Amino acid sequence: MSKVKYYYDAESLSYRKIERKKRTTFKYASLFIIAAGLFGFMFVFIASQYVESPKERALKRELQNAQLQFELLNKKMEQAEAVLSNIADRDNNIYRVYFEANPIPEEQRKAGFGGINRYKSLEGFDNSKLIIESNKRLDILQKQIVVQSRSLDEIAILAEEKEKLLAAIPAIQPVSNEDLTRMASGYGMRSDPFTKARKMHWGMDFTAPRGTPIYASGDGVVERADSNSSGYGKHIRIDHGYGYTSLYAHLYKYNVRKNQKVKRGDLIGFVGSTGRSEAPHLHYEIFKDGDRINPINFYYGSLTAEEFNELLEHASLENQSLD
């Protein structure tokens, strides 16, 4: 039950009931509401500084997870950059050196992206600088991977060509040591067996019995297998590619035909004494880009060091050739 308040009226010498005016009631009510609102706002404001809402907690967890993922991404990029740097170093200093290819300049490997602003859409955010730098690193890393991939493709092609070159170069003795009577004459000035005059001997003479097998000294295609070249009698020429040609002269008979593909070590013919020849032997020559060169330098594929030194000693003797 509400209390009733009275006041003493001096004029009437009596107590009168206090009647609150509506305007006063409204005024007090408004003040109360305003004070309550201010108090509530202050309470919410202060609470928001110290107490997290469920939404804020969820957003904070998402931010922490994003930061963790970003740190992991940075570590992965650092690892990828280190691995790629190691591959690039080996590429320039081992692979490309071995295959005689020019190294890729560092500025080409690590070139940035000039011109238009590629990252304008990433500007204006709280972490724009961080996001833009990460995207730049990823783009540069991607470009480096593309450059390295192309380089390795080139190295693979060079390796395949190198393998073909090594297989094609005349690299073995065309007559086995077991079948040789002796190495009769080498490359250089020799005495002609018919005129006895000193003249240039453009190949090496291997003496062996008639019918001794003759082997292709490298992969190639038979360019000629005929007796239509003066002095050589029945002879074979093999085009090895890369500017190399080998010639086998004074044969007894052939075991190949023109345009036939041969591999190193294939039986191509037999020792004879056809053409301008004094006795059964194989006259062997090598051409590089059309010029005759000394065959002594092309036996690394079939002779030991001792056998090569013995062959070199015999080849250097200025004796009489057999053709």
Side-chain angles (χ1 to χ4, degrees):
M1 186 174 182
S2 62
K3 293 181 179 180
V4 179
K5 294 184 179 181
Y6 297 87
Y7 72 95
Y8 181 74
D9 186 352
E11 292 181 0
S12 62
L13 300 176
S14 63
Y15 289 94
R16 292 182 179 275
K17 188 177 178 179
I18 298 175
E19 298 288 344
R20 180 175 293 180
K21 296 180 179 179
K22 291 183 177 180
R23 189 172 67 179
T24 304
T25 302
F26 178 76
K27 178 181 177 182
Y28 282 119
S30 298
L31 287 173
F32 176 78
I33 291 172
I34 292 171
L38 287 173
F39 178 78
F41 174 78
M42 290 179 63
F43 177 79
V44 171
F45 176 77
I46 293 170
S48 67
Q49 302 300 311
Y50 300 99
V51 180
E52 292 179 343
S53 68
K55 185 176 181 180
E56 286 176 327
R57 284 196 294 271
L59 289 173
K60 187 174 182 180
R61 282 197 299 270
E62 288 182 14
L63 181 60
Q64 289 174 340
N65 183 57
Q67 289 174 337
L68 176 62
Q69 294 300 322
F70 181 78
E71 289 174 4
L72 293 174
L73 177 62
N74 261 338
K75 287 182 180 179
K76 288 180 180 179
M77 281 197 292
E78 288 172 3
Q79 292 171 351
E81 286 168 346
V83 171
L84 191 58
S85 176
N86 179 262
I87 294 173
D89 183 63
R90 283 186 291 167
D91 183 35
N92 270 354
N93 299 309
I94 299 177
Y95 309 142
R96 302 185 75 83
V97 170
Y98 177 76
F99 293 109
E100 300 174 353
N102 293 327
I104 298 175
E106 197 69 12
E107 56 271 18
Q108 182 180 338
R109 288 184 183 274
K110 296 186 177 180
F113 300 88
I116 62 172
N117 184 0
R118 300 164 57 92
Y119 311 103
K120 190 172 182 62
S121 62
L122 302 176
E123 295 176 352
F125 299 100
D126 291 340
N127 297 313
S128 286
K129 185 177 179 180
L130 198 63
I131 295 170
I132 289 171
E133 287 302 316
S134 297
N135 275 271
K136 281 183 179 179
R137 285 180 68 186
L138 281 171
D139 285 343
I140 292 173
L141 188 62
Q142 185 178 25
K143 180 176 180 181
Q144 288 180 270
I145 291 172
V146 170
V147 171
Q148 186 59 61
S149 176
R150 289 175 180 169
S151 175
L152 291 176
D153 288 342
E154 182 186 352
I155 291 299
I157 293 171
L158 291 173
E160 186 178 353
E161 285 298 311
K162 191 85 169 183
E163 186 177 357
K164 290 179 181 176
L165 170 62
L166 292 175
I169 291 176
I172 65 170
Q173 195 171 274
V175 179
S176 298
N177 270 342
E178 294 79 8
D179 299 326
L180 284 180
T181 305
R182 64 189 178 93
M183 208 294 292
S185 183
Y187 179 94
M189 298 301 295
R190 298 291 184 267
S191 175
D192 186 283
F194 300 100
T195 66
K196 306 304 180 185
R198 291 180 77 251
K199 59 180 287 190
M200 184 64 187
H201 187 244
W202 295 105
M204 298 184 71
D205 291 341
F206 296 93
T207 58
R210 182 185 179 194
T212 298
I214 298 170
Y215 305 100
S217 54
D219 295 1
V221 178
V222 177
E223 187 178 53
R224 292 181 63 173
D226 56 54
S227 56
N228 298 327
S229 189
S230 178
Y232 288 128
K234 291 182 178 180
H235 73 290
I236 294 171
R237 297 184 196 226
I238 298 177
D239 182 1
H240 301 280
Y242 307 96
Y244 289 99
T245 302
S246 58
L247 181 148
Y248 313 78
H250 311 303
L251 274 60
Y252 162 59
K253 63 179 180 180
Y254 311 113
N255 195 53
V256 291
R257 62 185 181 281
K258 184 178 179 180
N259 296 327
Q260 180 178 333
K261 290 183 179 181
V262 294
K263 293 287 187 181
R264 179 181 292 148
D266 284 354
L267 176 64
I268 60 172
F270 302 90
V271 171
S273 188
T274 56
R276 192 175 185 273
S277 171
E278 190 179 55
H281 74 287
L282 170 67
H283 176 80
Y284 178 63
E285 294 182 13
I286 292 180
F287 297 79
K288 178 68 171 76
D289 298 324
D291 296 324
R292 293 181 176 96
I293 56 177
N294 194 345
I296 193 69
N297 300 314
F298 291 84
Y299 299 131
Y300 61 84
S302 60
L303 301 179
T304 64
E306 293 77 14
E307 289 172 337
F308 179 77
N309 287 333
E310 184 179 354
L311 182 65
L312 184 62
E313 183 180 347
H314 287 297
S316 62
L317 296 176
E318 192 171 327
N319 53 9
Q320 177 179 290
S321 65
L322 295 176
D323 47 39

